Amino acid sequence: MSKTPDSGKAEDDEPSTVEQYLVKDPERFALNMARMIEQAGKAASAWAEPRERGEVRDHVAEPVVDMVKTFSKLSEYWLADPQRALEAQTRLFAGYMTVWANAIQRVSPNAEAPDDAVKPERGDKRFQDPEWGRNAFFDFLKQAYLVTSRWASELVDHAEGLDEHTRHKASFYVKQVSNAISPSNFILTNPELFRETVASNGENLVRGMKMLAEDIAAGKGDLKLRQADYSPFEIGRNIATTPGKVVGRSDVAEIIQYDPATETVLKRPLLICPPWINKFYILDLNPQKSFIRWAIEQGHTVFVISWINPDERHGAKSWEAYIREGLQYGLDTIEKATGERDVNAIGYCVGGTLLAAALALMAAEGDDRIKSATFFTTQVDFTHAGDLKVFVDEEQVAAVEKSMNEKGYLDGTKMATAFNMLRSGDLIWPYVVNNYMRGKDPLPFDLLYWNADSTRMAAANHSFYLRNCYLDNTLSQGTMELAGHTISLGDITIPVYNLASREDHIAPALSVFLGSKYFGGKVDYVMAGSGHIAGVVNPPASNKYQYWTGGAPIGDFNQWIATATDHPGSWWPHWQSWVEAKDNTRVPARKPGKHMKTLGDAPGTYVKVRV
């Protein structure tokens, strides 16, 4: 006998039963369907009303047009040769025939269970419910979907004559469409959703549509997908709690100095330049995960740049402004606060790219205050820049610039959506299913709270970044123009610690490796386990993942990995040893405010400005 429908799940060793998919209370189910439609109407109103008032202008057509153009180029290759098209259709038909044969064998009495025509990729969590395998209907849907999506992916892989950018875009768009049409995303084709809907007489859909209306209203006409329960978190209360003071404030940045935790500290202060695409407290989520707190405990006097969440006033703020009013302003503030000119610097992601450009500019101008540079998952060469390059070509950049120039900034939700699309199978569709179909609130999670706390992009800054880095790759080529100088990474001769993450989908480890050769001094390349965030935010106490060290980052990347040394746990202590090897002179600890007026407690005011 199977479990009751209320459990929402059947036992692995029990046969599939029809009863669990039959509505038990038609009257209650019909009432809930009416309530669901009512809530769906509220969602539609939340979407339509800002558009009717002219507060929201849709740009949905732009990416769709680009996708259609890309697929047209792909189709042109396969349809240009009838023989080639027939072979492609035959492969798909053969896959379907295998699925059909398996379905017949599965329902035949006394027949052995056949092997699947194609199996989900390792780590695919969509088809874990036992009914995907033992129920003939759902098994057929699963296999037909996997055959189709695998076939579509192979069409891209085997299309000859496509330029690399078009192939990259085609592969990305095929993946997005495949993730969207998965049978796991729909009530009637997902056994778990089907059972839960029947068991609750559709109450899950009522809750789901209510959440959808709330999330569209929260996005002011656009869907702001909730990935966690954000209510338990508050910046400064249980997020970004390391004690310190704001010791400087410019138009684009607050400079935070943190309280010491040791009696003596390293003579060289540490300046951290985080990305402005997200907020700095990814490095200070909580006391257990905080790189900032850990660095203080190792004896660093830590200063952090907290970038402004820009609005129309900051539209003309360029990269030079972010260097002058952010990085160099931070160095000026450090000198006033500590009396020290010599500083160690860290740049994370695009904050690292800005740091690299700033170092090249400072070398050209004779500013030598930064004595060592550490880059966390930072690209300076964008030849192999990962899936974000899908969104960057002349046509798309021009469209983004047009959108930004209307307000002076790019909405933070646009960047958040782009980043979520890079891993839509993990960051979009599971939450669509959980929130709007299962009607369940997501769980509290500080990392996803940070991920949802998106920031706007100042128009001039973002345009310069897209064109000079992703589009024209001027930084590594030595052709970037900043403040009247043509800057070169070869002028950066200070020691560099260049950290990559093996599974990074934003700054691929290969890209970081290849970028190392452009610096003019010695580069220590280190590769952490995991991805763009977890590979960096990996405190030693967690004893998670690993990191690799090896020879100079030259030659073949795979050969470097093959000969690299695998170290268990966090790379943080290895970095600390690297920093101390440059200069381990210690001085009495410095408290914020001793030599200058403070402007408030950490984490400051800029970080609390929401989109």
Side-chain angles (χ1 to χ4, degrees):
M1 188 172 76
S2 66
K3 278 189 177 182
T4 62
D6 288 332
S7 70
K9 186 147 181 135
E11 293 290 346
D12 289 5
D13 56 353
E14 295 172 354
S16 178
T17 59
V18 174
E19 286 78 10
Q20 61 188 330
Y21 300 108
L22 298 179
V23 174
K24 306 298 188 299
D25 188 341
E27 184 175 342
R28 185 179 170 195
F29 186 86
L31 178 62
N32 281 329
M33 290 302 99
R35 293 171 60 204
M36 180 199 72
I37 293 171
E38 180 184 359
Q39 293 297 331
K42 293 180 181 179
S45 295
W47 181 88
E49 287 175 3
R51 286 161 175 79
E52 292 172 353
R53 293 193 297 264
E55 298 169 359
V56 173
R57 186 174 299 178
D58 281 316
H59 299 280
V60 176
E62 292 157 5
V64 172
V65 167
D66 186 69
M67 182 175 69
V68 171
K69 288 180 178 178
T70 302
F71 285 161
S72 295
K73 292 179 182 178
L74 180 65
S75 301
E76 184 179 349
Y77 169 79
W78 287 105
L79 296 177
D81 183 340
Q83 180 65 29
R84 192 159 54 208
L86 180 61
E87 289 174 357
Q89 292 171 331
T90 301
R91 285 196 299 272
L92 180 61
F93 182 71
Y96 286 157
M97 289 303 296
T98 302
V99 173
W100 181 253
N102 286 352
I104 293 175
Q105 186 175 347
R106 185 175 293 278
V107 298
S108 299
N110 303 320
E112 291 186 9
D115 291 333
D116 287 349
V118 59
K119 294 184 180 298
E121 292 183 5
R122 185 178 180 182
D124 190 339
K125 300 177 182 179
R126 294 174 295 179
F127 305 107
Q128 293 180 331
D129 189 276
E131 287 286 277
W132 287 111
R134 69 185 176 203
N135 184 293
F137 172 72
F138 294 115
D139 179 70
F140 181 87
L141 289 175
K142 177 193 73 176
Q143 290 195 58
Y145 163 74
L146 291 173
V147 164
T148 305
S149 57
R150 187 76 52 87
W151 173 81
S153 179
E154 289 173 351
L155 286 184
V156 179
D157 295 340
H158 298 154
E160 299 174 3
L162 287 181
D163 65 90
E164 196 54 39
H165 184 57
T166 300
R167 185 186 302 278
H168 192 175
K169 289 201 294 184
S171 178
F172 180 81
Y173 288 141
V174 163
K175 186 176 181 180
Q176 298 308 311
V177 173
S178 294
N179 286 342
I181 66 172
S182 170
S184 59
N185 295 338
F186 305 97
I187 298 291
L188 297 180
T189 56
N190 181 329
E192 192 171 5
L193 287 176
F194 203 148
R195 290 198 306 270
E196 289 185 13
T197 301
V198 168
S200 71
N201 286 300
E203 289 182 5
N204 57 314
L205 301 182
V206 179
R207 295 192 302 269
M209 286 301 102
K210 183 175 184 292
M211 291 173 67
L212 179 62
E214 292 170 351
D215 289 355
I216 294 175
K220 299 177 181 178
D222 290 321
L223 176 62
K224 189 171 184 178
L225 181 67
R226 73 178 88 176
Q227 298 170 317
D229 177 7
Y230 308 132
S231 61
F233 302 110
E234 182 183 343
I235 295 173
R237 182 176 65 83
N238 56 5
I239 293 277
T241 59
T242 300
K245 298 290 184 181
V246 176
V247 293
R249 182 179 293 128
S250 72
D251 281 348
V252 301
E254 288 183 330
I255 309 300
I256 302 170
Q257 180 184 357
Y258 288 93
D259 294 346
T262 54
E263 291 185 3
T264 62
V265 294
L266 289 168
K267 189 172 185 293
R268 288 184 187 172
L270 176 65
L271 176 63
I272 299 177
C273 179
W276 56 84
I277 288 175
N278 297 105
K279 294 183 178 177
F280 80 88
Y281 63 85
I282 186 59
L283 296 175
D284 191 29
L285 276 175
N286 62 45
Q288 292 71 42
K289 298 177 184 177
S290 175
F291 176 83
I292 290 172
R293 185 180 292 259
W294 181 88
I296 293 166
E297 292 169 351
Q298 310 315 302
H300 292 276
T301 305
V302 177
F303 291 79
V304 172
I305 298 170
S306 175
W307 298 107
I308 189 74
N309 194 343
D311 54 35
E312 58 277 357
R313 297 169 298 171
H314 304 92
K317 294 290 184 181
S318 64
W319 259 40
E320 183 184 349
Y322 271 61
I323 291 172
R324 304 297 194 201
E325 301 173 39
L327 266 164
Q328 289 185 310
Y329 176 66
L331 295 173
D332 295 340
T333 304
I334 288 173
E335 190 170 354
K336 291 178 184 176
T338 67
E340 295 293 336
R341 281 183 53 83
D342 293 356
V343 174
N344 297 315
I346 292 175
Y348 192 172
C349 187
V350 66
T353 310
L354 182 77
L355 174 61
L359 286 168
L361 175 62
M362 290 164 67
E365 296 179 338
D367 186 342
D368 63 352
R369 287 178 287 178
I370 295 177
K371 298 301 183 184
S372 79
T374 298
F375 297 104
F376 294 169
T377 58
T378 292
Q379 296 178 103
V380 295
D381 178 77
F382 288 75
T383 306
H384 301 281
D387 283 345
L388 278 176
K389 287 193 78 172
V390 167
F391 302 108
V392 183
D393 50 40
E394 179 58 44
E395 205 170 341
Q396 292 186 88
V397 170
V400 170
E401 289 173 333
K402 181 180 178 182
S403 174
M404 289 192 297
N405 289 335
E406 293 174 2
K407 298 179 179 178
Y409 58 85
L410 180 70
D411 285 323
T413 52
K414 300 292 190 296
M415 284 300 301
T417 299
F419 279 113
N420 285 339
M421 285 179 68
L422 300 184
R423 294 173 55 207
S424 61
D426 296 321
L427 295 177
I428 295 180
W429 294 109
Y431 297 101
V432 169
V433 170
N434 181 78
N435 300 358
Y436 310 135
M437 297 184 192
R438 300 182 72 187
K440 292 188 176 181
D441 289 313
L443 299 173
F445 190 11
D446 52 8
L447 177 60
L448 290 176
Y449 173 88
W450 167 84
N451 189 58
D453 191 7
S454 54
T455 60
R456 295 177 285 260
M457 306 294 111
N461 178 311
H462 198 52
S463 176
F464 185 93
Y465 177 50
L466 291 177
R467 288 194 172 278
N468 282 271
C469 295
Y470 278 95
L471 196 59
D472 297 329
N473 203 16
T474 61
L475 183 56
S476 65
Q477 303 309 309
T479 58
M480 180 179 281
E481 299 281 344
L482 268 176
H485 296 274
T486 302
I487 62 172
S488 170
L489 294 175
D491 293 338
I492 302 172
T493 57
I494 60 174
V496 167
Y497 188 99
N498 208 10
L499 177 79
S501 291
R502 186 166 192 171
E503 299 166 22
D504 197 334
H505 59 288
I506 294 172
L510 169 63
S511 184
V512 177
F513 179 88
L514 295 177
S516 300
K517 69 181 180 182
Y518 294 100
F519 294 105
K522 185 177 185 297
V523 177
D524 286 272
Y525 177 83
V526 177
M527 185 173 69
S530 196
H532 193 71
I533 302 300
V536 174
V537 184
N538 182 25
S542 299
N543 197 28
K544 292 175 67 176
Y545 312 125
Q546 73 268 67
Y547 66 96
W548 291 264
T549 60
I554 55 177
D556 182 71
F557 176 56
N558 292 322
Q559 183 61 35
W560 186 92
I561 293 177
T563 58
T565 302
D566 185 341
H567 307 270
S570 173
W571 55 269
W572 292 9
H574 179 266
W575 170 82
Q576 178 67 16
S577 298
W578 181 87
V579 170
E580 290 185 342
K582 310 310 171 193
D583 186 346
N584 65 356
T585 305
R586 297 256 171 172
V587 298
R590 308 147 170 142
K591 288 204 69 174
K594 185 175 182 180
H595 300 292
M596 60 190 302
K597 181 182 178 181
T598 62
L599 304 175
D601 293 330
T605 58
Y606 282 3
V607 73
K608 295 180 181 179
V609 177
R610 307 300 293 266
V611 171

